[in-house]
Amino acid sequence: TPASDPSVHASMPRMQPSSTPALHPAYARLLLLQLRRHGLDAEFVLAEAGLVASELEGDQNLLDRDRLRRLVTTALRASGRPWLGLEFGAAVPVLRHGPLGLAASASGTLAEALALLARFLDVRAPLLRLEVSRVVGGLWARFEVEPDLGEVRMFVLEAALVMLERLLQGLCARDFALARIELPWPRPAWARHYAAFLVSP
């Protein structure tokens, strides 16, 4: 693919303890906001997940993998929208990614933005890892996430891909439709929604 249109992959690495820090709490708060936009009782979802609002307050303590899994699993069940990760990824503005998002969006090239994200992604989302390399005529990037997250794995990867695509589109001077995205699972029943959120899955 051309250098301005990276190929993005998603895959899975090793297993981690459930208490491992996984995600900045800002994303959990944004997920609850997304549920409210769908007319759902976010406080009920929080309670059903066995969480309290105070666990998501502030920006100092990252949400661990177990709490993230419970929250996302409950949100998916309550919403009845297995493609919720796509909608969530599209609803998160670049500014909500903190200093990392601002720095990446101010990068001079896609390569610089991807390199920055790959280096510092664990500040916002230790659950994910981004590998970036150059290939003939372009760039290649791959997200990795722990394999034992169940349906939460798909939610996380779909959301991450949409967020990354939106950020890169803001930097891309050429038609981003030349980009190619590969997903590591069979075509799901809601695959029609991919066309609304991803350029070319």
Side-chain angles (χ1 to χ4, degrees), residues 76-123:
L76 287 168
R77 183 170 63 248
S79 70
R81 306 166 80 88
W83 59 89
L84 184 64
L86 297 170
E87 296 178 338
F88 174 65
V92 177
V94 171
L95 291 177
R96 300 308 294 269
H97 298 306
L100 178 58
L102 291 175
S105 64
S107 299
T109 66
L110 295 186
E112 290 176 4
L114 285 169
L116 188 67
L117 291 169
R119 183 177 180 184
F120 296 107
L121 184 60
D122 62 344
V123 174

Side-chain angles (χ1 to χ4, degrees), residues 29-43:
R29 297 193 294 265
L30 288 169
L31 175 58
L32 294 176
L33 177 61
Q34 184 71 8
L35 294 177
R36 293 187 185 99
R37 289 171 176 163
H38 287 305
L40 298 173
D41 186 340
E43 285 64 37

Side-chain angles (χ1 to χ4, degrees), residues 60-74:
Q60 301 304 313
N61 298 316
L62 297 183
L63 198 65
D64 64 55
R65 194 174 52 145
D66 180 64
R67 288 185 294 170
L68 172 66
R69 182 167 48 203
R70 284 187 278 130
L71 177 60
V72 172
T73 299
T74 306

Side-chain angles (χ1 to χ4, degrees), residues 89-160:
V92 177
V94 171
L95 291 177
R96 300 308 294 269
H97 298 306
L100 178 58
L102 291 175
S105 64
S107 299
T109 66
L110 295 186
E112 290 176 4
L114 285 169
L116 188 67
L117 291 169
R119 183 177 180 184
F120 296 107
L121 184 60
D122 62 344
V123 174
R124 302 290 293 184
L127 180 72
L128 285 167
R129 187 171 66 189
L130 180 64
E131 296 181 355
V132 181
S133 59
R134 289 188 177 275
V135 295
V136 177
L139 295 167
W140 179 89
R142 181 176 69 180
F143 273 124
E144 290 189 343
V145 66
E146 286 93 346
D148 64 334
L149 293 175
E151 62 185 324
V152 173
R153 165 183 163 256
M154 186 177 290
F155 172 95
V156 169
L157 286 174
E158 288 181 341

